[in-house]
Amino acid sequence: MGSLKPILFGTALLTATSLQAAAQVEIQWWHAMSGANGDRIVKIANDFNASQSEYKVVPTFKGSYADTMNAGIAAFRAGGAPHVLQVFEVGTATMMAAKGAIKPVHELMKEAGEPFDAKSYLPAVTGYYSTSKGDMLSFPFNSSTVVMWVNRDALKKAGIDKIPATWPETFDAAAKLQAAGWDKCGVSTAWVTWVNLENFTAWHNQQLSTKANGLDGFDTELTFNKSPAVVKHFENLVKYQKDKIFDYAGRTNQGEGRFTSGECPLFLTSSAFYGNVKANAKFDYTAGPMPYYPDVAGAPQNSIIGGASLWVMGGKPAAEYKGVAKFLTYLSSPAVQAWWSQETGYLPITPAAYEYSKKQGFFDKVPAAEIAIKEITNKEPTTNSRGLRLGNLVQIRDVWAEEIEQALTGKKSVQAALDAAAERGNQMLRQFERTAK
């Protein structure tokens, strides 16, 4: 009989473990973070799971931002949506229009009895994901903004003693860099529309479109083509493209390697490029704010975000929503947000997380990481700088980029290209409204 004891003891242990696992409520989290950031998502989920025993968050990588959003919508239609879906900021209007597919975050937190105050998040972040009344629809998670990455070694070699602050200074510095040997590219940008239209208009307090850039409702009309500042900026890009003082680097972020390789010493892209720069740049680097035109009244204003938020999908049981709410509370905590921000270059989504990093001395060690938060909080957001919410924005961005490329290659004048970009974009907005209303 003695030989049976270990077997019985082992069975009892196994049963207890199985019961505990069965008692846990699983929360499915579909995301679009690959590589090192994908590993960080897994760590966040594992740390939350280890912090309590009721819920288990299961993260699943679903491909690119567009792939992840499409997979989530398709899964909802088929009755198998995840609890939490990461959607890039340009998908916000699409998700809002998917009636019944989403559970607004402000409702979720209230029903679950979780402490939640939208005012405890950065206004420039929450504005993007809230109704005009201030009700938060999705949960801010990985928010970034545009900064200018700077190759300090290149500037020193070209005899430039400070980071250029204005666009005239930037073009002047780019010309000096070209003369000093950087003949393929003095300055460039990734994400041509996000940097040069969406953030440019916010940074200069210029209207991109009516109805607070779509945040205040449908029937918004694109108007950026009527802004003298926007027209002048693209005329400068076209002018300097001819001599490679500025050199176009593509519609998305495929050209970012031109900075880390040393080819482009001044490069405007996401603050979330930090991890990549840290891993790959073999030179002394830093980041500075986006340049601005000093003759535009009120500039610089504040930048707007990129990145993604977390949407809670509709149709789940209250017990599961309670777990989602607890997870979102965990994600908001200063320690978790500060860690995520420090690792990735994404913004801390709350002032408390920003202060947490400050107290740790992180920004003293990595001053470049503070540029994004200073830009996003530079001034109280206006109707031109709260963000934008345009239906079909993924497709509209392609149309904008197509027209910008026509101007950069000399096939159209800047004004004609911008007029066409606005007109074609407006047609796509009307098409979206017909399906969404």
Side-chain angles (χ1 to χ4, degrees):
M1 289 293 288
S3 62
L4 286 175
K5 283 182 184 176
I7 298 169
L8 289 169
F9 182 62
T11 306
L13 262 182
L14 186 65
T15 306
T17 307
S18 303
L19 285 169
Q20 185 185 15
Q24 278 189 318
V25 175
E26 281 202 359
I27 307 295
Q28 298 294 329
W29 179 15
W30 288 7
H31 68 89
M33 301 270 94
S34 59
N37 282 348
D39 295 338
R40 289 168 183 135
I41 291 271
V42 171
K43 176 176 164 44
I44 287 172
N46 288 344
D47 288 352
F48 170 74
N49 295 341
S51 74
Q52 46 73 54
S53 57
E54 283 184 84
Y55 307 101
K56 182 183 179 184
V57 170
V58 181
T60 305
F61 173 65
K62 283 290 179 177
S64 70
Y65 277 138
D67 291 340
T68 301
M69 182 174 80
N70 292 336
I73 291 170
F76 175 79
R77 287 175 182 149
H83 298 81
V84 180
L85 182 70
Q86 184 187 29
V87 178
F88 53 170
E89 90 284 9
V90 293
T92 301
T94 301
M95 294 302 290
M96 282 179 65
K99 301 285 189 293
I102 63 156
K103 176 83 169 172
V105 161
H106 70 98
E107 285 180 17
L108 169 92
M109 301 302 267
K110 186 178 179 183
E111 289 170 13
E114 282 293 308
F116 177 72
D117 180 8
K119 293 191 175 83
S120 66
Y121 299 84
L122 293 173
V125 175
T126 54
Y128 216 111
Y129 302 121
S130 300
T131 66
S132 54
K133 294 177 186 172
D135 292 330
M136 203 186 291
L137 299 170
S138 64
F139 186 81
F141 175 55
N142 58 308
S143 296
S144 58
T145 195
V146 178
V147 299
M148 183 163 70
W149 292 96
V150 177
N151 180 333
R152 272 187 170 143
D153 289 345
L155 259 61
K156 191 175 178 182
K157 191 177 172 186
I160 302 163
D161 58 5
K162 63 172 186 155
I163 298 169
T166 68
W167 274 110
E169 288 170 1
T170 299
F171 292 130
D172 183 53
K176 287 176 181 171
L177 285 159
Q178 192 188 55
W182 283 267
D183 57 345
K184 291 181 181 173
C185 172
V187 61
S188 189
T189 82
W191 305 110
V192 66
T193 69
W194 183 54
V195 174
N196 296 290
L197 266 182
E198 296 160 41
N199 262 286
F200 180 91
T201 49
W203 198 228
H204 291 82
N205 197 20
Q206 301 288 297
Q207 188 182 75
L208 181 93
S209 69
T210 60
K211 294 275 184 84
N213 297 339
L215 288 169
D216 285 350
F218 285 123
D219 308 319
T220 177
E221 290 279 339
L222 298 169
T223 56
F224 56 78
N225 56 317
K226 296 169 186 171
S227 162
V230 171
V231 174
K232 180 172 80 169
H233 179 57
F234 279 102
E235 283 175 345
N236 280 333
L237 296 186
V238 169
K239 178 172 77 172
Y240 291 117
Q241 173 74 49
K242 290 169 186 166
D243 298 321
K244 304 285 187 184
I245 288 168
F246 166 81
D247 192 49
Y248 182 60
R251 297 183 182 187
T252 63
N253 64 337
Q254 70 262 40
E256 285 178 341
R258 299 181 75 186
F259 178 74
T260 47
S261 70
E263 183 181 270
C264 267
L266 297 172
F267 200 92
L268 279 80
T269 189
S270 172
S271 56
F273 189 39
Y274 167 66
N276 205 319
V277 175
K278 184 181 174 184
N280 298 302
K282 303 292 189 281
F283 48 81
D284 183 21
Y285 64 85
T286 189
M290 284 183 285
Y292 64 97
Y293 286 95
D295 57 342
V296 177
Q301 169 57 41
N302 65 278
S303 64
I304 58 171
I305 60 169
S309 65
L310 302 181
W311 289 82
V312 179
M313 303 303 283
K316 304 292 183 186
E320 293 174 15
Y321 278 143
K322 198 166 180 64
V324 173
K326 286 197 178 301
F327 178 55
L328 296 185
T329 296
Y330 175 82
L331 271 183
S332 299
S333 64
V336 173
Q337 270 302 309
W339 175 82
W340 171 252
S341 174
Q342 290 176 25
E343 288 284 315
T344 61
Y346 285 112
L347 293 158
I349 58 171
T350 63
Y354 176 41
E355 291 302 322
Y356 193 96
S357 283
K358 261 188 179 174
K359 283 176 187 168
Q360 290 181 319
F362 176 69
F363 299 119
D364 296 331
K365 287 180 257 174
V366 190
E370 197 171 15
I371 298 298
I373 192 91
K374 286 182 173 177
E375 286 183 323
I376 211 101
T377 58
N378 187 51
K379 288 177 185 169
E380 195 67 28
T382 70
T383 53
N384 296 328
S385 68
R386 276 166 50 203
L388 57 151
R389 189 173 296 148
L390 305 174
N392 287 337
L393 186 52
V394 179
Q395 298 86 344
I396 286 173
R397 273 181 168 175
D398 280 338
V399 163
W400 290 349
E402 193 179 292
E403 294 296 342
I404 289 164
E405 287 163 358
Q406 294 281 302
L408 288 169
T409 53
K411 291 173 184 167
K412 281 187 179 180
S413 71
V414 165
Q415 189 64 64
L418 290 173
D419 287 346
E423 184 184 343
R424 293 175 66 192
N426 282 328
Q427 287 169 3
M428 295 171 85
L429 286 170
R430 303 294 81 80
Q431 184 182 16
F432 174 78
E433 285 157 15
R434 283 194 293 273
T435 61
K437 279 185 177 179

